[in-house]
Each structure stands twice: as C-alpha cells, then as structure tokens.
Amino acid sequence: MARPLESGRADRPPGRLSPQVAAVLRPELDSLAEDIMAEIRRTIPAYARLPERGERQELRLGVEQVLRTFVDQISGSEESREQRDELCRWLGRGEAYRGRSLDALQAAYRIGVQVAWRRVAEIGRRHELSSAVMSQLAGALFAYIDELASLSVEGFQEARARVGDSRAEARRRLLRLLVGRPRPTKAVLARAAEAAGWRVPAEVVPVAVPPKARTMPEALDAGVLRDLDRAEPYLIVPGPLDEERLARLTAALPERRGALGPSVPPTEATDSLRWARRTLTLMDAGILTVTGLARAEDHLLELWLMADGALLDQVARQRLAVLSGMGDGRRRRLIETLGAWLESEGNAVETADRLQVHPQTVRYRLRQITDVCGDRLADPDSRFALEAVLRAERLRRGGLPELPKRGSPDVSGR
C-alpha cells in the first residue's frame, strides 16, 4: 500500500505543498491536457470549429503551459509564472482581436478546472493523499483558475482599447475615402472597409446634418458611419433606407431636420452627399419649403437649376438681355407671360388661364416678346434655355430676374 502523502512542514508558505505531491502530478499533465482539450472541443462550439493547426494548436499549448505552471507554483517554483501570465493575457487579447467576447475562453477555463479536479481526485485516491492535502490542492486549483481568468480579462481589455482606437481611426479613413475625391475603386474601398470592420453594402444613403444640430448617435445601428464633429456633419447609412433604419435615423436627429442624398453605390457617395448638402442649403434659404428630413431625389430639378448661381446669372443676362431696357412692371408682365407660355407648350388659352387674364392679352404680350426676341422662340434650344432660366428665377427671386440695364428699346405693353 502506498504511503499517504502529507502537506509537509507546518512552516511551508500557504499554497505550497510537499514536493512529493508535485511529483505525483507531473506524469499526469500530458494526458490531462488531452482530456481538457477533448472536453473543451466537445462542449464549446466556438472551439469545436477551430482547425487542427492554428488556433486549436495554440489553445493546446496554452493548456499545457498553465498546467505545468500550476504544478511549479504549488511546489514553490516561480520560474514559469511570467511566461504563464503573458500567455493568459495573450489568449484574452486574441479573443478581442478576433472580434469575439470572452465567453468562450471563460467557459474553457471552467471546463478545464472541472476536468483537472476530477483527475486530481483520482490521483488523490490512488496515492492516498490525506484530506488536508486534498483540501489544500482544491483551494490552490480554484484560486489558480481565477487568477488565469483575471489575466485573460486584463489582456482582453487592453486589446479592446487598442482595437477601439485603431478601428475608430480606420473608420475615419474609410469616411474620408467614401466622400473624397477622386472616387475610390471597389478594391480600394473593400480594403478600407475590412480594416474598419464595415461590410460594404450594395448602396448607401448619405445624410447631411445641420451644423451644431442636436444628435443622438447612440440611436443609430453599428453599421452607420458618421462624422458629426465637422463644420458640415454627415452620416453614411448603409442602404436601403428601410422603415426601421429611417425610424432610427429620425430618433438620432431629434430636431427632425436634415437632408437625405439619393441611394447610390458606395463609390458614388461623395456626389450624393454633395446633393444632400445642397438640399439642406436650399431649405435654409427658404427656396425649398420642406419640413423634417428632405429627400434630395424629390428635388433634383431644383438642385440642377440652382447648382451655380453665378452661372445662372450669366445665362439669364444672355437669354433675357433683350428685355433689360424695360421698366420693371412691363418686364415682369412679359417674363411671367413668357414663362407660362413655355410651360403651356405655346397654348395661348392655357397660358391665359394660368395667368388669369384674357387670351387676347396673352397674344398681345407674345407679339411684344416676339418683336424683341425675333425668331428665338421658334428655336427648340432657345425655348429650353429660356424655360430653365425662368424656372430657376422663380425659385430664387419669385420670378423677376435682376438684369442689368443695357438700353434695350422700351416695348410698351398692357
């Protein structure tokens, strides 16, 4: 019969056991590591799917290391402790870098201590270890596993902080790429999105936000990219903008003001954002009388007509210069008549109905216009340019272009 092993001298430090206890445990470590790994693979799906090489091999080496260090520790050796500490932190960091929580690793620790204790209990019976030794072994083992878990949490939190900083910077780079010039290629965008942890959607909806507007970004889902601290804040919403996302967006903008760009492929986001910002500008100027979140795609004609105010002035001067010598009253009447006539496709009766005047009045004014415009009204390109200018002027100034006085002949009218 084997001689019972005791914990040794009374003056041995707490947690230390007789070298004989460590001696009976060491031969069991390789097979114990096998049993622990088998149980981990059987009960934890995340580890069951790991390939034989790579992560599973790394985990096996980790199990072997912590078992050796435990035996070293209870026998009074500290040689492998530093290596073990770094290993546990490394395991925690690995979970963070792979985008996982610590749940699977913590479960692996719990399973490991359960399997280990069953083996220790078996060894205790085989070698007739005293209850005092078994009690001390149990305390040391469970305290040890808590220490391992704490070290992994430390590594996990450290890596999460690094990942958070690097991920935030990667998202800033991705945003600059999406809304910058030149347009990114699909390959460049894919690499930037991967670094940012962002799945490239088929389409995006840029959202222009008023400067200094109150926002609640926590209401947005994780896929929404945002830069709300710049002079022209904006969001990039991965599309399509369904009802759920629209509800989240509305909650994130409690002032209910902003402009949505058209839904476009991600490589075209910069143009869509430009149109959204222009829509917001026209809203602020009172040109677009829209409340709430405006959709740029509902106002594309207005955006086109108002895209370049200085250029619009030049076109107006060029196309309407023949009317610039008239008094404001006469010029207004003729311009209103010309605009209504163009929109009515040359129908004098419909034009009169729009203006609420007699058709004969319309025909008289048109003769005056024809006298100064000559054959321009018969040219399709000229008619198109005139109608575009007059539509834009109605948006911008209520219908009366500000034309320079150039001494054109005065044409009397009613």
Side-chain angles (χ1 to χ4, degrees):
M1 179 180 295
R3 181 181 177 183
L5 297 177
E6 301 298 336
S7 60
R9 299 190 308 271
D11 61 347
R12 180 173 283 115
R16 302 280 177 83
L17 287 94
S18 164
Q20 294 172 290
V21 176
V24 300
L25 292 176
R26 286 191 193 281
E28 306 281 341
L29 297 185
D30 287 344
S31 61
L32 177 56
E34 286 285 353
D35 289 351
I36 290 173
M37 281 299 300
E39 188 66 10
I40 287 173
R41 291 198 303 269
R42 188 183 69 82
T43 57
I44 305 178
Y47 292 129
R49 294 190 295 268
L50 297 181
E52 288 294 340
R53 294 186 179 275
E55 288 184 63
R56 185 184 295 186
Q57 190 174 33
E58 292 168 0
L59 185 62
R60 167 61 190 267
L61 294 173
V63 171
E64 293 175 351
Q65 177 65 52
V66 298
L67 290 176
R68 285 195 302 271
T69 303
F70 174 72
V71 174
D72 289 344
Q73 190 168 303
I74 64 173
S75 64
S77 172
E78 297 290 330
E79 290 182 7
S80 58
R81 186 185 183 95
E82 184 176 344
Q83 185 177 357
R84 187 253 0 225
D85 290 357
E86 179 53 31
L87 169 69
C88 292
R89 294 190 187 98
W90 177 79
L91 288 171
R93 287 194 294 267
E95 296 299 283
Y97 290 142
R98 294 181 180 105
R100 299 195 293 242
S101 72
L102 273 179
D103 292 347
L105 183 58
Q106 298 283 31
Y109 281 139
R110 289 193 296 272
I111 290 170
V113 75
Q114 291 167 5
V115 174
W117 177 244
R118 287 199 298 267
R119 178 68 68 88
V120 168
E122 178 188 332
I123 294 170
R125 288 192 298 271
R126 192 189 318 148
H127 292 274
E128 297 182 354
L129 300 183
S130 69
S131 59
V133 170
M134 294 302 296
S135 177
Q136 197 170 354
L137 267 174
L141 183 59
F142 286 97
Y144 184 75
I145 209 69
D146 287 342
E147 189 177 355
L148 301 183
S150 297
L151 288 165
S152 289
V153 168
E154 183 181 319
F156 181 82
Q157 292 174 341
E158 172 193 334
R160 280 288 292 270
R162 292 179 180 174
V163 168
D165 291 343
S166 62
R167 183 62 54 84
E169 177 56 32
R171 287 206 161 198
R172 286 191 288 270
R173 287 196 299 270
L174 175 61
L175 273 170
R176 290 194 295 269
L177 188 67
L178 280 168
V179 303
R181 291 288 188 183
R183 291 181 180 180
T185 65
K186 290 183 178 180
V188 169
L189 180 61
R191 288 195 295 270
E194 183 179 6
W198 190 68
R199 184 177 179 181
V200 180
E203 56 190 22
V204 296
V205 178
V207 182
V209 179
K212 300 181 180 179
R214 188 163 65 92
T215 59
M216 300 177 64
E218 62 274 9
L220 301 168
D221 60 74
V224 177
L225 302 175
R226 57 184 181 268
D227 189 347
L228 298 174
D229 298 325
R230 60 181 297 151
E232 294 181 298
Y234 66 97
L235 308 166
I236 300 292
V237 181
L241 192 62
D242 54 24
E243 291 185 6
E244 180 183 353
R245 274 223 163 98
L246 184 58
R248 284 176 173 267
L249 180 60
T250 303
L253 301 174
E255 295 176 7
R256 304 293 192 273
R257 190 163 178 79
L260 312 179
S263 179
V264 296
T267 54
E268 301 174 17
T270 185
D271 290 323
S272 182
L273 178 59
R274 177 164 52 86
W275 299 329
R277 284 173 170 163
R278 184 60 179 161
T279 301
L280 192 59
T281 298
L282 296 182
M283 291 168 64
D284 291 340
I287 293 173
L288 294 180
T289 55
V290 184
T291 58
L293 296 176
R295 294 179 180 270
E297 61 188 357
D298 295 337
H299 306 281
L300 294 180
L301 180 60
E302 291 90 339
L303 293 176
W304 173 58
L305 292 174
M306 305 301 295
D308 191 326
L311 182 59
L312 175 60
D313 288 338
Q314 291 298 319
V315 176
R317 290 189 184 103
Q318 180 191 74
R319 296 292 173 174
L320 301 175
V322 293
L323 305 178
S324 61
M326 299 178 181
D328 285 349
R330 290 175 178 173
R331 182 159 52 91
R332 181 184 293 275
R333 287 195 296 272
L334 294 185
I335 286 175
E336 287 176 345
T337 302
L338 176 59
W341 180 77
L342 289 169
E343 291 179 3
S344 301
E345 298 181 351
N347 187 307
V349 175
E350 185 178 340
T351 302
D353 187 56
R354 285 172 180 259
L355 298 176
Q356 295 185 336
V357 299
H358 195 278
Q360 209 46 35
T361 300
V362 170
R363 294 187 181 96
Y364 180 78
R365 292 178 183 174
L366 287 173
R367 283 197 294 272
Q368 296 179 69
I369 294 171
T370 302
D371 286 343
V372 295
C373 291
D375 59 358
R376 295 177 190 175
L377 297 184
D379 178 61
D381 291 340
S382 294
R383 288 200 306 272
F384 173 78
L386 282 168
E387 184 173 0
V389 165
L390 295 176
R391 281 177 178 267
E393 290 297 341
R394 274 206 306 276
L395 288 170
R396 186 166 65 167
R397 299 192 181 104
L400 181 60
E402 294 181 359
L403 301 176
K405 303 299 183 181
R406 295 193 178 180
S408 297
D410 190 9
V411 180
S412 61
R414 300 176 187 176

